[in-house]
Amino acid sequence: MSDIIAVQTEDFDHGVLYDALRQDSLSNGAIVTFSGLVRDFNQGLAVGDLFLEHYPAMTQISLQQIVSQARARWGLGKIILIHRVGHLAQGDQIVFVGVTSMHRKDAFEAAQFIMDYLKTEAPFWKKESTALGEKWVQANISDTAARQRWTSDE
């Protein structure tokens, strides 16, 4: 059972990824998935679209480390982590996290952990188009607080 970790410009099919999680997972009784979408607002401003950049040499390593940390904390089956980069419009899918486990608690917590770390640790940079022009998005305090919740448990 190998994880799928990818950074790509292409959209993803939630149904195909869900089926990949189910495949060969008969001992897992839980599948938790999360899909992140481009919103029409952020940090008090209307957002038209956005552009996501990353540093490929670091990104794959960072995503692998996040998945490895989740594996070290919970008994997990299969993990799929897909993050898109490039130009994205309102409503486009940005990220997919899917986790299987024998028990739902592990699957829910691991998916939340992966998203919290992804938002604060992965080397992605987001530029949004707003009515005031384009702006690079700074780290969100609530994302940092969500990630710190996991470090206080360590």
Side-chain angles (χ1 to χ4, degrees):
M1 175 176 333
S2 62
D3 299 326
I4 298 172
I5 300 171
V7 178
Q8 62 192 43
T9 57
E10 303 83 26
D11 197 8
F12 50 82
D13 184 324
H14 189 279
V16 169
L17 296 174
Y18 180 84
D19 288 344
L21 289 166
R22 284 190 67 192
Q23 188 175 25
D24 302 324
S25 295
L26 296 178
S27 61
N28 290 310
I31 298 175
V32 170
T33 64
F34 171 82
S35 296
L37 308 174
V38 176
R39 295 181 301 195
D40 63 356
F41 71 96
N42 190 29
Q43 299 178 351
L45 293 174
V47 174
D49 56 10
L50 62 86
F51 189 82
L52 273 169
E53 290 186 12
H54 74 118
Y55 182 52
M58 290 175 49
T59 309
Q60 193 70 22
I61 293 169
S62 175
L63 299 184
Q64 183 60 55
Q65 288 174 339
I66 292 168
V67 167
S68 294
Q69 290 173 20
R71 285 203 171 284
R73 294 177 77 117
W74 295 280
L76 304 175
K78 199 177 281 187
I79 299 173
I80 298 178
L81 171 56
I82 308 288
H83 205 296
R84 293 183 65 199
V85 293
H87 179 261
L88 299 168
Q90 291 177 359
D92 282 354
Q93 299 181 112
I94 301 173
V95 63
F96 176 92
V97 174
V99 177
T100 70
S101 180
M102 292 175 63
H103 306 288
R104 70 179 182 272
K105 183 176 185 287
D106 286 356
F108 274 119
E109 289 181 357
Q112 181 72 52
F113 174 92
I114 290 169
M115 274 310 304
D116 290 344
Y117 270 69
L118 192 59
K119 294 284 283 185
T120 57
E121 301 298 317
F124 291 102
W125 297 274
K126 182 166 52 173
K127 183 168 55 177
E128 295 175 336
S129 296
T130 71
L132 302 176
E134 293 184 337
K135 71 172 190 97
W136 289 100
V137 176
Q138 302 297 315
N140 190 330
I141 293 171
S142 64
D143 292 334
T144 302
R147 185 217 177 270
Q148 288 174 339
R149 170 173 68 110
W150 299 109
T151 56
S152 64
D153 292 346
E154 294 175 344

